[in-house]
Amino acid sequence: MTTATATTPRMKEKFQTEVWDMVRSEFGITNPMALPNLEKIVLTVGMGNQLDGTKLNPKAREQVISDLSLITGQRPIMKKAKKAVSNFKLRIGYEVGAMVTVRGDRMWEFFDRLVSLAIPRIKDFRGLKDTSFDGRGNYSFGITEQGIFPEIDMANATYMHGMNITLVFKNSTNEVTKASLKTMGFPFVKPVEKKKTKQA
């Protein structure tokens, strides 16, 4: 009887070889315990605009849960309001969004699909901003519709929604994360080259 051996996700293998080699040479980090690592990816969908009285629109709620489950391979949790806002008729405990946190091999497989398949499908895509860091090496960006993910069939979607995606790094800084993501082929916007002016 033969047992199947688990294969390492290609993005994880690339990170632990090419990225770590780059970090060692460019940033002088040689201690293996101090090398940066992608710890988790967090996806959040805000749904405050779908509140109907005290509950979310059932169809919108079901759509978001289904979409995040298909995209990440795990069921999201619903987030509840921690503060009451009278102007928006919002009370503590109302469901206002959904969140998924992916880790381990599932995270690396999601990251692979995100970079290779989903992001390039964004309409008129010219690159993601390379300034959306939080000062601790974590990077966040937003997308406007779930249809960029191949798993989602927009023909049957009843509710269109965007989401915020945060890449959470361990042992990193903004500069290290930015260089690491570039090495991984992350599609940052390309800097505009300044044209040289002719001197008279």
Side-chain angles (χ1 to χ4, degrees), residues 95-130:
E95 290 183 339
V96 292
M99 182 183 76
V100 174
T101 301
V102 285
R103 305 172 188 264
D105 286 354
R106 182 174 289 171
M107 173 195 71
W108 287 110
E109 289 163 359
F110 170 77
F111 182 79
D112 196 348
R113 297 195 311 276
L114 179 69
V115 174
S116 305
L117 299 175
I119 293 178
R121 289 164 56 117
I122 297 175
K123 188 176 181 181
D124 299 325
F125 181 67
R126 296 181 181 178
L128 296 172
K129 292 182 180 180
D130 61 358

Side-chain angles (χ1 to χ4, degrees), residues 76-99:
I77 60 172
M78 300 305 297
K79 301 297 290 182
K80 297 182 179 181
K82 296 180 180 179
K83 292 182 179 180
V85 182
S86 59
N87 289 346
F88 297 102
K89 298 180 180 179
L90 181 66
R91 294 183 180 179
I92 296 173
Y94 285 8
E95 290 183 339
V96 292
M99 182 183 76

Side-chain angles (χ1 to χ4, degrees), residues 3-13 104-106 108-109:
T3 56
T5 56
T7 58
T8 303
R10 71 183 189 105
M11 282 295 194
K12 180 179 181 180
E13 187 174 348
D105 286 354
R106 182 174 289 171
W108 287 110
E109 289 163 359

